[in-house]
């Protein structure tokens, strides 16, 4: 039960708890941590206790802790969506007031926080990875707002709801992309969507074009409406040109057009067609990724596993439920790969997921415990009731026998 606290002496966990480190939070907040909120509540509780212990030692929540110290090797403050998602789902084994304090402090202790708060975005001429930082900070701030709201802290919620809209400051309507912006308010020039830029983390403007998970509808409105947003999202999966300057970005793997499944910022994007009235397209893109980006072989994952995130995307998508916006509590549907799967939930209940024709890539209808489910998602709270989630599947078009018409990236 003993462990070494960050930069200091040995301590001991009480009551059978465990201390956890090696938290690849920039990667895992997207799917691995939401998977744990479904299946392993004890692990979630111990991890959050560990994060709060690190806060006491470091003066901020962990970014990427390793062993008994903080590496700080990635951007954002992504302990926050993990803690907020647990609290908002009712997994309240920790002190919520202390957690909110840690969130607020951490949101203002990043090495880019001062300029982020001064300008309302991270200026490109003052900090690197400026666009990626702005977008990820805005999402984390939205999670703080939801945590504060649940605790009745209205002024904090209002402040962080305003911060959550800061992603708009780096949107360039002339190009339809998020773009580096200098401290004088001007956009960085030249700007090439397929070329390397220090304003983005492990990717290009394309891979961050749709990173607004907390305000999807608002982002689409910013892009000029649903039709223009659809054209842009379609181009993400079809436009394959890449500038030679981007060839050294080793994390850009598993490419489908400009979508990079081998790296985490893209992971929710195949699901976004649901918000644009084309659930079939989302289901087909997800099935293509399941079929072509994973294999039972030593090189069977198309990118860095990143402490479980790549596999968690597969597990949840193969089951037919994916958390596009961790913290919201919603899981978006995909066509399951299995005729029947049984999931032991973190509360001890069993969730059975059935699909009548798992060879088919599209959903005809969904029911939960015999009742039809409207829409394209289901809440964590309903899933935790246990029971049976049933999918009736069909082909890519009603009469095509389930054949997948979208080519795999390896067929191009």
């Amino acid at each position: 039960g003993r462990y070494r606290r960050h930069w200091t002496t040995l301590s001991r966990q009480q009551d059978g708890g465990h201390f956890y480190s090696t938290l690849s939070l920039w990667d895992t907040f997207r799917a691995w941590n939401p998977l744990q909120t479904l299946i392993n509540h004890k692990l979630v509780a111990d991890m959050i206790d560990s994060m709060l212990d690190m806060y006491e030692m470091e003066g901020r929540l962990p970014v990427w802790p390793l062993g008994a110290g903080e590496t700080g090797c990635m951007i954002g403050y992504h302990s926050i969506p993990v803690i907020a998602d647990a609290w908002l789902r009712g997994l309240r084994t920790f002190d919520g007031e202390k957690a909110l304090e840690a969130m607020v402090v951490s949101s203002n202790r990043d090495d880019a926080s001062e300029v982020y708060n001064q300008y309302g975005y991270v200026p490109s001429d003052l900090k690197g990875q400026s666009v990626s930082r702005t977008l990820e900070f805005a999402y984390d701030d939205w999670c703080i707002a939801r945590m504060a709201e649940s605790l009745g802290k209205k002024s904090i919620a209002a402040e962080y709801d305003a911060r959550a809209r800061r992603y708009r400051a780096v949107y360039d309507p002339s190009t339809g992309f998020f773009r580096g912006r200098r401290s004088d308010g001007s956009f960085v020039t030249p700007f090439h969507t397929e070329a390397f830029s220090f304003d983005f983390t492990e990717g290009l403007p394309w891979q961050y074009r749709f990173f607004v998970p907390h305000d999807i509808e608002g982002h689409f409105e910013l892009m000029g409406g649903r039709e223009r947003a659809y054209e842009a999202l379609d181009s993400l999966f079809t436009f394959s040109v890449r500038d030679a300057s981007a060839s050294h970005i080793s994390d850009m793997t598993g490419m489908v057009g400009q979508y990079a499944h081998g790296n985490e910022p893209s992971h929710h994007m195949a699901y976004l067609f649901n918000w644009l009235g084309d659930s079939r397209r989302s289901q087909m893109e997800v099935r293509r990724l399941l079929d072509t980006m994973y294999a039972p072989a030593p090189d069977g994952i198309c990118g860095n596993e990143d402490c479980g995130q790549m596999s968690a995307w597969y597990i949840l998508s193969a089951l037919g439920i994916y958390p596009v916006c961790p913290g919201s509590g919603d899981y978006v549907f995909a066509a399951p790969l299995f005729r029947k799967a049984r999931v032991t939930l973190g509360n001890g209940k069993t969730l059975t997921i059935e699909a009548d024709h798992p060879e088919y890539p599209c959903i005809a209808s969904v029911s939960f415990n015999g009742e039809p489910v409207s829409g394209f998602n289901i809440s964590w709270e309903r899933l935790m009731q246990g029971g049976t989630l049933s999918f009736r599947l069909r082909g890519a078009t009603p009469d095509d026998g389930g054949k997948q018409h979208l080519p795999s990236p390896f067929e191009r």
Side-chain angles (χ1 to χ4, degrees):
R2 294 196 304 163
Y3 68 99
R4 187 174 297 281
R5 301 184 83 192
H6 276 205
W7 317 119
T8 185
T9 59
L10 291 174
S11 186
R12 180 178 293 276
Q13 282 282 34
Q14 303 298 318
D15 302 323
H18 297 85
F19 180 83
Y20 288 97
S21 187
T22 318
L23 307 179
S24 185
L25 294 162
W26 184 82
D27 308 290
T28 63
F29 84 84
R30 306 165 199 268
W32 188 87
N33 290 105
L35 174 60
Q36 305 315 311
T37 65
L38 279 174
I39 66 173
N40 197 335
H41 295 174
K42 177 64 167 61
L43 174 61
V44 172
D46 283 349
M47 289 183 68
I48 293 174
D49 285 344
S50 300
M51 293 177 190
L52 294 175
D53 185 84
M54 295 173 197
Y55 166 66
E56 290 183 358
M57 292 292 98
E58 298 276 357
R60 66 170 180 167
L61 289 165
V63 175
W64 214 119
L66 179 65
E70 172 61 59
T71 69
C73 70
M74 295 304 294
I75 64 169
Y77 24 94
H78 296 314
S79 293
I80 286 168
V82 176
I83 297 171
D85 199 34
W87 180 265
L88 294 166
R89 308 284 74 76
L91 307 185
R92 300 183 177 183
T93 59
F94 53 94
D95 184 337
E97 298 279 350
K98 177 182 178 181
L100 179 60
E101 171 201 297
M103 291 176 174
V104 171
V105 169
S106 300
S107 72
N108 294 305
R109 284 286 307 276
D110 187 90
D111 65 2
S113 291
E114 182 177 357
V115 295
Y116 175 63
N117 289 328
Q118 179 180 351
Y119 293 94
Y121 60 94
V122 178
S124 177
D125 53 330
L126 300 182
K127 289 291 179 181
Q129 305 174 86
S130 63
V131 175
S132 296
R133 286 178 189 258
T134 300
L135 298 179
E136 295 193 27
F137 289 173
Y139 162 68
D140 290 338
D141 289 342
W142 177 85
C143 292
I144 296 175
R146 303 287 69 74
M147 182 79 175
E149 184 179 56
S150 76
L151 290 165
K153 309 293 186 180
K154 294 182 180 179
S155 62
I156 296 176
E159 175 187 354
Y160 279 85
D161 269 328
R163 287 173 57 140
R165 292 190 289 273
R166 290 180 180 177
Y167 74 88
R168 294 170 172 257
V170 292
Y171 180 75
D172 174 20
S174 71
T175 63
F177 282 81
F178 295 110
R179 181 175 175 182
R181 195 167 194 167
R182 299 184 182 92
S183 55
D184 64 4
S186 63
F187 285 111
V188 172
T189 54
F191 177 70
H192 302 290
T193 62
E194 64 275 15
F196 170 76
S197 167
F198 286 107
D199 291 321
F200 296 88
T201 302
E202 297 183 358
L204 307 176
W206 280 99
Q207 283 79 59
Y208 270 91
R209 191 177 191 183
F210 289 94
F211 189 81
V212 191
H214 61 290
D215 190 17
I216 293 169
E217 295 282 3
H219 178 211
F220 290 165
E221 180 183 348
L222 190 65
M223 297 183 83
R226 293 165 65 88
E227 184 175 343
R228 293 190 66 179
Y230 189 97
E231 292 172 356
L233 187 58
D234 173 73
S235 67
L236 176 69
F237 290 89
T238 57
F239 181 68
S240 58
V241 175
R242 189 162 21 148
D243 189 272
S245 68
S247 61
H248 72 285
I249 306 177
S250 60
D251 298 280
M252 285 181 56
T253 59
M255 303 300 294
V256 181
Q258 295 292 338
Y259 174 94
H261 192 71
N263 206 28
E264 281 68 28
S266 292
H267 273 187
H268 66 291
M269 294 179 186
Y271 286 91
L272 294 180
F273 289 102
N274 285 292
W275 277 263
L276 294 166
D278 195 353
S279 292
R280 169 187 168 277
R281 178 68 181 278
S282 276
Q283 292 149 23
M284 291 182 68
E285 294 292 357
V286 170
R287 179 59 65 92
R288 167 159 60 175
L289 296 170
L290 287 166
D291 286 347
T292 63
M293 296 298 171
Y294 298 84
D299 60 349
I301 295 179
C302 67
N304 190 335
E305 169 66 340
D306 284 322
C307 294
Q309 170 60 25
M310 288 292 294
S311 293
W313 186 96
Y314 185 92
I315 290 167
L316 287 165
S317 297
L319 289 171
I321 48 175
Y322 190 81
V324 167
C325 180
S328 71
D330 287 332
Y331 287 74
V332 179
F333 293 133
L337 284 185
F338 308 107
R339 190 169 295 277
K340 179 177 287 189
R342 291 186 179 90
V343 181
T344 301
L345 300 170
N347 59 9
K349 296 182 180 180
T350 299
L351 173 67
T352 300
I353 299 176
E354 298 178 339
D356 60 351
H357 287 284
E359 69 275 18
Y360 290 178
C362 296
I363 298 171
S365 62
V366 183
S367 64
F368 184 64
N369 290 332
E371 296 292 326
V373 177
S374 60
F376 52 81
N377 55 16
I378 190 168
S379 71
W380 180 92
E381 286 76 13
R382 289 189 73 185
L383 293 175
M384 292 304 295
Q385 296 171 15
T388 302
L389 182 66
S390 297
F391 290 80
R392 189 165 64 86
L393 304 183
R394 62 176 177 82
T397 61
D399 301 317
D400 70 356
K403 294 179 181 178
Q404 167 68 280
H405 293 308
L406 292 175
S408 86
F410 307 113
E411 293 172 348
R412 293 183 172 162

